[in-house]
């Protein structure tokens, strides 16, 4: 390989370094204020036992092929049947990841004459699909249902003939705030379109038995949901839910479903157990709610900041370098807090993303905020 060919990448990496945007992977250590394992399922004895039991009854490690070939396993089908019942959707489809599910929906379902209106803060995985879509696409300001309606009206006025799609997260991953789902579902219904709700950070945490924020929206066939399984459910994959015809269409047309090895059947068994875990131990949700309320009160009293109202607590820093430096200082003190920088968040809004999970206790939360207060002060924040 010539030095010139590699130098192009080195130049970009040097640029990222200069802007304090360089990324690298490290093995996690310290107290967990960074994961999405909100209910502490990932390392639970119950999910581990479910995997052991599945191995004992002969469930294979690998699916061995795409779902459409020999990779479809009864474990996938049992999971999808249970998920459809639990989330109240006509049909459910298990994807290997939330990223794949979102990319599949937005790249496949909106057709050439359609319009996709999406929240400006929507996750990169949805953007992946939106960029590949043949439909007209429009970003709208965050959580602005009026802007969504206006975009639909303008498109219709200009002769738009297809179907409008609205793409949002129910609980935003980097801000912890909620979408106005009722208004958006009503818009989807009124304009005979579809609302796609990414429930990644609400699944397991909000709604009855953790069914998410889109449960009971009452918009039936106008709503599609994505429940990722790698966050509160402690496993991996994603359960897409919606009208049967759309799910069947995805099975026939979504390239990342068709041309990809099916998720591990063992993982499907683990997710099935996680859904039962939710139903059997609703007190976990109550415990998490209490911890979130405790953390929010600490944020207000120690840092004088307004809480997001959820388990995702952003502390805005602004400057990339300073956000990284503060996160590193917290990590050195044993608190695993990560800095989130552009392009994950908008330019100038680098932040610490503190997540509250059942992997921590009240006393660790107050110790963390006490230390953070001092470090922020030392950094002129
Ligand atoms: C809002 C949102 N949607 C989708 C995803 C992707 O899910 P997964 O990690 O299962 O690919 C994530 C997480 O990274 C997310 O935060």
């Amino acid at each position: 390989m010539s030095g010139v060919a590699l130098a192009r990448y080195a130049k970009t990496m040097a640029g990222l370094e200069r802007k304090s945007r360089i990324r690298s992977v490290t093995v996690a250590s310290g107290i967990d204020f960074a994961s999405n394992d909100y209910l502490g399922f990932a390392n639970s004895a119950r999910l581990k036992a479910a995997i052991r039991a599945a191995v004992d009854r002969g469930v294979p490690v690998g699916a061995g092929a795409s779902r459409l070939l020999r990779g479809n396993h009864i474990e996938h089908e049992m999971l999808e049947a249970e998920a459809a019942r639990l989330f109240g959707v006509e049909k459910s489809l298990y994807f290997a990841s939330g990223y794949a599910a979102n990319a599949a929906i937005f790249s496949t379902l909106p057709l050439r004459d359609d319009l996709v209106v999406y929240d400006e803060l929507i996750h990169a995985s949805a953007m992946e699909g939106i960029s590949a879509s043949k439909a007209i696409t429009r970003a709208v300001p965050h959580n602005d249902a009026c802007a969504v309606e206006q975009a639909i009206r303008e498109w219709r006025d200009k002769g738009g003939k297809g179907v409008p799609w609205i793409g949002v997260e129910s609980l935003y991953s980097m801000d912890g705030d909620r979408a106005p789902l009722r208004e958006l579902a009503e818009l989807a219904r009124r304009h005979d379109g579809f609302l796609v709700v990414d429930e990644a950070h609400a699944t397991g945490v909000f709604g009855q038995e953790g069914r998410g924020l889109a449960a009971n929206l009452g918009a039936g066939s106008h709503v599609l949901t994505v429940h990722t399984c790698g966050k509160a459910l402690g496993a991996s994959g994603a359960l897409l839910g919606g009208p049967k015809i759309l799910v069947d269409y995805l099975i026939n047309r979504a390239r990342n479903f068709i041309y990809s090895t099916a998720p591990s059947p063992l993982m499907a068994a683990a997710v099935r157990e996680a859904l039962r875990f939710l139903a059997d131990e609703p007190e976990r949700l109550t415990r998490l709610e209490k911890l979130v309320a405790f953390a929010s009160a600490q944020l207000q009293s120690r840092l004088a900041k307004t809480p997001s109202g959820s388990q995702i607590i952003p502390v805005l820093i602004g400057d990339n370098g300073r956000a990284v430096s503060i996160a590193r200082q917290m990590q050195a003190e044993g608190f695993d807090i990560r800095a989130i920088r552009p392009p994950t968040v908008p330019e100038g809004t680098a932040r610490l993303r503190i997540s509250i999970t059942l992997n921590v206790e009240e006393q660790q939360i107050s110790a963390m905020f006490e230390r953070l207060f001092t470090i922020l002060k030392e950094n002129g924040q």
Side-chain angles (χ1 to χ4, degrees), residues 220-378:
S221 61
H222 294 279
V223 177
L224 277 97
T225 50
V226 175
H227 295 279
T228 64
C229 310
K231 302 182 195 298
L233 297 183
S236 74
L239 290 156
L240 181 155
K244 180 177 179 305
I245 187 69
L246 295 187
V247 175
D248 289 341
Y249 187 88
L250 284 169
I251 292 172
N252 282 273
R253 283 280 193 271
R255 295 172 66 81
N256 60 6
F257 180 81
I258 300 168
Y259 300 108
S260 185
T261 299
S264 164
L266 283 182
M267 201 44 69
V271 174
R272 204 146 59 90
E273 189 67 19
L275 297 181
R276 296 203 192 114
F277 206 171
L278 280 183
D280 290 349
E281 295 195 20
E283 62 275 12
R284 280 191 179 245
L285 251 84
T286 319
R287 265 172 57 209
L288 183 63
E289 268 167 26
K290 275 199 190 135
L291 269 192
V292 170
F294 179 80
S296 303
Q298 290 274 311
L299 180 84
Q300 257 170 331
S301 65
R302 289 191 195 266
L303 305 189
K305 293 194 189 296
T306 314
S308 63
S310 77
Q311 78 280 15
I312 299 168
I313 302 178
V315 176
L316 208 74
I317 304 294
D319 178 71
N320 296 343
R322 200 171 300 154
V324 172
S325 157
I326 294 169
R328 286 213 182 111
Q329 289 172 66
M330 289 300 286
Q331 288 158 16
E333 307 262 346
F335 302 107
D336 189 5
I337 290 183
R338 307 292 172 110
I340 309 290
R341 294 158 287 166
T344 306
V345 291
E347 207 61 57
T349 70
R351 67 197 66 181
L352 307 174
R353 177 189 184 270
I354 298 171
S355 65
I356 301 300
T357 70
L358 292 188
N359 297 325
V360 299
E361 288 169 6
E362 281 188 4
Q363 164 270 322
Q364 292 169 312
I365 293 174
S366 58
M368 180 275 288
F369 275 116
E370 191 179 326
R371 201 61 204 117
L372 183 58
F373 171 74
T374 310
I375 290 178
L376 285 175
K377 232 171 148 191
E378 285 166 3

Side-chain angles (χ1 to χ4, degrees), residues 167-183:
V168 296
E169 292 175 32
S170 54
L171 189 81
Y172 280 85
S173 60
M174 296 300 151
D175 294 82
D177 58 343
R178 299 179 189 201
L181 287 184
R182 291 220 166 270
E183 286 143 272

